[in-house]
């Protein structure tokens, strides 16, 4: 383990372009529930009932109740040591890109630079009907949100969480930014089960372009067999240890 952390620290020291891809595991120590695994959200709920446009079309109130419950939970969470280390690296490295699948905005809270939130933010809403003023979205951090489902302030239609559901394209140039970030010297994937595409394909794309690839995760994932280095453990423990070795 220590030799793996040393190897990762050496790679970091020598990297000019660093890209970090994060998933729910990075926020787990902050108290944000992950999706998969023993205590994951998908143990109690089916994604097709809550995280698809079809589900929202069928029952917007049910979907909003789930998001309102998650917003209440996340509002109590603070960035942990993993977010802090990633934020420090995003400021210290000459070229560092952070791509997150997380919608909790804890990377924002930690002060992360060059951050691409490829699945959106749970703190932003957009117009379900796609009206001109409401489609780009707006920030709404109220907890509780008020009457559910909330309404678009511009056209009075239904508002939706500005997150990316299954079957939806990644918006706002985010996919392009994430793919561009795969051109790097070191691609570090942290706390993601590596099963949701297109995010899961980024590490392989980085490797194809010549990056050294590394994974930090509590458990084995589909990426574990193809990356150059895997380190098992909590991101909130391992990232500070790597930072100490730099
Ligand atoms: C720790 C830890 C600690 C715990 N330290 N580690 C190719 C192949 C197959 C399918 C597809 C494909 N391409 C597209 C698809 C379909 C689909 C998909 O990927 N399906 C697969 C699941 C089969 N993808 C999509 O639909 C995407 N859209 C798309 O491709 O559009 C194409 C299109 C183009 C043009 C027009 C129209 C369409 C969109 C995917 C959206 C995903 N959305 C969600 C919900 C977001 C909103 C919300 O939060 O409510 O995003 S689903 C959920 O999964 C969420 C997450 O961001 C995402 C990834 O989860 P993540 O972060 O990896 O979390 P977990 O829980 O899975 O894993 C946690 C990990 O942490 C575990 O490994 C633990 O071990 C570890 N861990 N504690 C370190 N302390």
């Amino acid at each position: 383990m220590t030799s793996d952390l040393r190897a990762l620290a050496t790679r970091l020291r020598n990297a000019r372009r660093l890209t970090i891809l994060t998933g729910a595991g990075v926020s787990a120590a902050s108290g944000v529930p992950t999706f998969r695994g023993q205590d994951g959200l998908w143990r109690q709920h089916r994604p097709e009932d809550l995280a698809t446009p079809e589900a929202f079309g069928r029952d917007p109130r049910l979907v909003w109740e789930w998001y309102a419950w998650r917003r209440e939970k996340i509002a109590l969470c603070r960035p942990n040591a993993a977010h802090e280390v990633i934020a420090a690296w995003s400021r210290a490295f000459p070229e560092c890109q952070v791509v997150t699948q997380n919608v909790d905005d804890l990377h924002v809270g930690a002060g992360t630079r060059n951050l691409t939130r490829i699945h959106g933010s749970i703190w932003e809403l957009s117009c379900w009907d796609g009206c001109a003023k409401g489609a780009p979205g707006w920030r709404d951090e109220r907890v509780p949100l008020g009457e559910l489902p909330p309404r678009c302030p511009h056209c009075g239609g239904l508002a939706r969480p500005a997150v990316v559901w299954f079957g939806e394209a990644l918006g706002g140039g985010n996919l392009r930014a994430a793919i561009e970030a795969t051109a790097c010297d070191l691609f570090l994937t942290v706390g993601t089960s590596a099963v949701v595409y297109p995010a899961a394909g980024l590490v392989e794309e980085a490797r194809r372009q010549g990056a050294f690839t590394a994974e930090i995760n509590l458990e084995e994932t589909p990426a574990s067999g193809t990356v150059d280095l895997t380190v098992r453990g909590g991101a909130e423990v391992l990232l500070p240890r790597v930072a100490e070795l730099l």
Side-chain angles (χ1 to χ4, degrees):
M1 163 82 83
T2 310
S3 65
D4 287 341
L5 294 179
R6 281 216 183 87
L8 184 53
T10 304
R11 290 284 172 177
L12 274 160
R13 230 178 282 123
N14 295 328
R16 190 174 56 83
R17 297 168 306 165
L18 166 66
T19 295
I20 306 171
L21 170 70
T22 69
V26 165
S27 294
S30 296
V32 182
T34 61
F35 292 91
R36 297 160 189 86
Q38 199 135 40
D39 302 318
L41 294 167
W42 297 154
R43 279 284 162 120
Q44 301 146 38
H45 311 280
R46 293 178 346 135
E48 49 275 48
D49 291 340
L50 296 167
T52 64
E54 292 76 17
F56 190 80
R58 266 195 313 272
D59 195 342
R61 191 181 163 82
L62 174 76
V63 171
W64 262 118
E65 280 169 357
W66 188 61
Y67 277 93
W69 169 76
R70 285 175 60 201
R71 283 165 60 107
E72 285 180 24
K73 257 183 122 54
I74 294 170
L76 302 173
C77 299
R78 297 290 167 262
N80 64 56
H83 298 103
E84 302 294 350
V85 169
I86 291 168
W89 289 350
S90 78
R91 293 188 293 262
F93 274 80
E95 289 180 48
C96 176
Q97 296 290 330
V98 180
V99 178
T100 188
Q101 299 168 81
N102 300 344
V103 299
D104 53 40
D105 278 0
L106 292 182
H107 283 302
V108 177
T112 308
R113 284 209 193 135
N114 300 327
L115 175 68
T116 304
R117 300 170 305 167
I118 54 174
H119 292 163
S121 167
I122 202 164
W123 301 112
E124 291 170 18
L125 277 59
S126 64
C127 178
W128 170 247
D129 295 328
C131 81
K133 284 190 178 159
W138 63 93
R139 202 150 178 99
D140 185 338
E141 298 183 5
R142 284 176 301 146
V143 172
L145 246 179
E147 201 184 324
L148 298 181
R151 296 272 154 191
C152 173
H154 305 290
C155 72
L158 277 178
R160 60 163 287 174
V163 299
V164 182
W165 285 323
F166 284 112
E168 291 189 307
L170 279 56
N174 286 339
L175 180 58
R176 197 179 337 112
I179 292 172
E180 278 171 13
T182 60
C184 59
D185 305 312
L186 173 57
F187 188 101
L188 178 59
T189 170
V190 191
T192 173
S193 56
V195 294
V196 174
Y197 283 82
L202 295 174
V203 63
E204 206 37 48
E205 178 56 23
R207 193 169 140 78
R208 200 187 60 76
Q209 293 187 62
F212 184 87
T213 55
E215 174 186 68
I216 291 180
N217 199 303
L218 277 181
E219 293 170 8
E220 193 170 326
T221 75
S224 307
T226 56
V227 292
D228 297 303
L229 177 67
T230 68
V231 196
R232 293 273 154 273
E236 68 286 359
V237 176
L238 296 183
L239 286 173
R241 284 181 62 188
V242 175
E244 275 171 22
L245 293 168
L246 286 179

